[in-house]
Amino acid sequence: MINKINSLLPTTMATAAKPAEAQKEFATFLKDAINKVNDEQVQANKLTEKLVKGEDVDLHQVMIASQKASISLQLAIEIRNKAIEAYQDMMRMQV
């Protein structure tokens, strides 16, 4: 996710994008990031279910997938919180 942010920064800063284009890029970025968080959650759940059923799954892989899913969800929540905080700050500004 952070690599995706870094890859967007130089192109966005180098050229002045129109607001509609920037909005589409941002929406696409958010959608991709949310889908990736969801995919990691699904993968962790599948591995956990396999472990519970007694299938041949390495415990270390289950724990790693679970931690990846947890960290990516925490990051998404923090980004959401910062976006809401920024929006609230803008709404409090006097024009």
Side-chain angles (χ1 to χ4, degrees):
M1 184 181 291
I2 292 175
N3 290 337
K4 180 104 174 165
I5 292 171
N6 289 336
S7 68
L8 286 177
L9 289 176
T11 59
T12 307
M13 290 180 178
T15 60
K18 294 180 182 177
E21 293 172 1
Q23 183 179 6
K24 285 181 183 179
E25 285 181 19
F26 184 69
T28 302
F29 169 74
L30 273 180
K31 186 176 181 180
D32 291 343
I34 290 171
N35 285 336
K36 183 170 176 155
V37 169
N38 185 52
D39 291 343
E40 289 179 359
Q41 293 286 330
V42 168
Q43 180 67 21
N45 286 340
K46 285 180 183 179
L47 288 174
T48 303
E49 285 179 13
K50 285 182 179 181
L51 181 68
V52 169
K53 290 178 182 178
E55 295 180 19
D56 187 28
V57 178
D58 188 18
L59 177 61
H60 292 93
Q61 294 302 320
V62 175
M63 294 306 295
I64 289 170
S66 179
Q67 286 299 311
K68 278 184 179 180
S70 176
I71 290 170
S72 63
L73 181 62
Q74 288 174 358
L75 177 63
I77 290 170
E78 287 301 319
I79 291 171
R80 180 207 61 179
N81 290 345
K82 289 294 183 180
I84 290 172
E85 185 179 321
Y87 174 77
Q88 289 172 343
D89 286 344
M90 287 190 294
M91 293 306 291
R92 280 187 237 133
M93 287 183 184
Q94 294 181 358
V95 181

